[in-house]
């Protein structure tokens, strides 16, 4: 298999969820190209192709593609949002390849609708797959690394790459469920990064912009000629890098990536602080300080960082 000099992920094992197609597939192929053995997860069972013949299913197709060029891969078709199936996926990686070193959480769905029209199921299903799915796999990977830490008597190798979205950063009016889930994933990432740092594990989140089957209604068809600026292949190298030893000092970070560009997002900072002149604030005192503070702020400005939507390769 053609790998870079030194194959930075040689001897390591990765799980990539939602890796049968699109972004997850590109990430799984990149990790394998860098030398990792990969458990390729994609929910569903083998089906039939357009001719009516049996098909292997997306997870096995990606795994077979890795094996065809000399890599090591196993397919897993379980539901990441199911606690027990997530545990089984982590156990599969350990049993098949001896250990787990890298977890890439990518699996997700869309159920877009304005907040005043959204159904309970549309809310619950998106939160379940994205946020609970990220938690489930992280929980069992973290337990594995903690056990190895105890057995080895020192830090182990562990990398988590989670998938957030610009919908969380910039706000997306028609995606309240998706934006909430992706914001929750950032919180999960920073909490995990602090909790697992002493074990040698890092956790980071990316906000990718990519044209996939899930986003085809958002981004439409690509333009003719050259590599599509929204191709998943623009995102996969960053995932491979964050999974590598070179990224050991990068932890609890959020990065935007698309179209040959990577942007490091700064953490929120306190813009202003007001102290009560009494034991506690009164309505009138709050009215005096906060109304004045917001009087000169641009109309429509919120906590959302809409400027990220304008990021592009220079």
């Amino acid at each position: 298999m053609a790998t870079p000099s030194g194959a930075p992920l040689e001897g390591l094992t990765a799980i990539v969820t939602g890796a049968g197609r699109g972004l997850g597939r590109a990430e799984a192929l990149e990790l394998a190209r860098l030398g990792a053995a990969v458990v390729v997860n994609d929910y569903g069972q083998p089906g039939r192709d357009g001719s009516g013949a049996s098909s292997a299913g997306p997870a096995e197709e990606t795994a077979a593609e890795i094996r065809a060029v000399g890599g090591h891969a196993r397919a897993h078709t379980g539901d990441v949002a199911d606690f027990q199936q997530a545990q089984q996926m982590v156990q599969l990686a350990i049993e098949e390849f001896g250990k787990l070193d890298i977890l890439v959480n990518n699996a997700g769905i869309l159920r877009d609708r304005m907040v005043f029209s959204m159904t309970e199921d549309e809310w619950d299903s998106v939160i379940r797959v994205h946020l609970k799915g990220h938690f489930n796999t992280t929980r069992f990977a973290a337990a594995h690394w903690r056990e190895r830490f105890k057995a080895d008597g020192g830090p182990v190798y562990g990398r988590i790459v989670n998938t957030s979205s610009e919908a969380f950063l910039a706000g997306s009016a028609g995606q309240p469920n998706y934006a909430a889930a992706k914001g929750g994933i950032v919180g999960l990432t920073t909490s995990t990064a602090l909790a697992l740092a002493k074990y040698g594990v890092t956790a980071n989140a990316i906000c990718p912009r990519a044209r996939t089957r899930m986003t085809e209604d958002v981004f439409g068809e690509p333009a003719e000629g050259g590599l599509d600026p929204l191709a998943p292949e623009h995102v996969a190298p960053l995932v491979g890098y964050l999974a590598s030893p070179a990224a050991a000092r990068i932890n609890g970070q959020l990065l935007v990536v698309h179209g040959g560009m990577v942007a490091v997002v700064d953490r929120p900072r306190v813009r202003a602080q007001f102290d009560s002149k009494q034991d506690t604030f009164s309505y009138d005192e709050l009215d005096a300080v906060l109304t004045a503070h917001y009087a000169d702020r641009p109309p429509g400005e919120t906590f959302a960082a809409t400027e990220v939507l304008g990021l592009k390769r220079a």
Side-chain angles (χ1 to χ4, degrees):
M1 186 174 187
T3 58
S5 175
L9 304 185
E10 187 70 38
L12 302 179
T13 300
I15 287 174
V16 184
T17 69
R21 301 182 179 92
L23 190 55
R25 173 183 171 274
E27 293 167 346
L29 293 176
E30 177 68 5
L31 294 177
R33 189 183 73 85
L34 296 175
V38 184
V39 171
V40 178
N41 164 264
D42 203 275
Y43 180 56
Q45 299 299 323
R48 295 186 176 275
D49 61 24
S51 67
S54 296
S55 62
E60 178 54 35
E61 289 171 0
T62 300
E65 189 173 353
I66 292 171
R67 293 193 297 267
V69 290
H72 304 280
R74 275 288 306 271
H76 179 271
T77 57
D79 180 2
V80 297
D82 182 285
F83 198 65
Q84 290 185 331
Q85 291 181 47
Q87 181 181 28
Q88 291 165 3
M89 176 168 52
V90 171
Q91 194 60 36
L92 173 64
I94 297 167
E95 291 175 355
E96 183 73 14
F97 301 115
K99 58 186 172 61
L100 175 64
D101 306 287
I102 300 159
L103 172 63
V104 179
N105 284 309
N106 168 75
I109 61 172
L110 288 178
R111 298 291 185 269
D112 294 352
R113 202 176 300 276
M114 299 295 285
V115 68
F116 43 75
S117 301
M118 183 162 287
T119 68
E120 181 179 17
D121 181 67
E122 288 167 341
W123 174 271
D124 288 348
S125 61
V126 169
I127 297 296
R128 177 182 180 272
V129 175
H130 287 274
L131 185 53
K132 187 183 179 187
H134 272 61
F135 160 72
N136 285 346
T137 54
T138 297
R139 186 260 184 249
F140 293 110
H144 169 64
W145 289 321
R146 184 169 179 263
E147 289 170 4
R148 281 172 52 193
F149 175 89
K150 290 180 177 180
D152 296 348
V156 300
Y157 190 99
R159 299 285 188 270
I160 299 173
V161 182
N162 288 333
T163 306
S164 184
S165 170
E166 292 169 301
F168 150 67
L169 283 173
S172 182
Q175 297 181 302
N177 48 3
Y178 184 71
K182 292 306 190 181
I185 286 168
V186 173
L188 173 64
T189 302
T190 54
S191 174
T192 302
L194 292 174
L196 301 186
K198 70 178 182 180
Y199 301 117
V201 178
T202 67
N204 294 288
I206 63 171
C207 293
R209 193 186 301 179
R211 195 187 315 276
T212 67
R213 189 176 64 159
M214 191 176 82
T215 62
E216 60 187 357
D217 292 337
V218 178
F219 296 128
E221 294 297 320
E224 296 289 334
L227 181 62
D228 180 5
L230 295 179
E233 287 74 17
H234 288 295
V235 176
L238 176 62
V239 173
Y241 168 75
L242 291 174
S244 76
R249 289 178 57 85
I250 304 174
N251 192 30
Q253 301 300 308
L254 180 64
L255 302 97
V256 176
V257 54
H258 58 80
M261 179 220 72
V262 173
V264 178
V265 180
D266 203 2
R267 67 184 186 275
R269 298 182 182 277
V270 176
R271 178 163 183 160
Q273 177 180 331
F274 303 98
D275 299 319
S276 174
K277 294 181 173 58
Q278 310 164 80
D279 289 339
T280 188
F281 274 106
S282 67
Y283 170 88
D284 289 337
E285 193 177 15
L286 287 170
D287 180 28
V289 295
L290 291 179
T291 302
H293 175 72
Y294 282 101
D296 297 326
R297 297 283 288 274
E301 181 186 77
T302 71
F303 186 75
T306 56
E307 62 272 18
V308 301
L309 299 179
L311 290 172
K312 62 181 180 180
R313 185 176 181 179

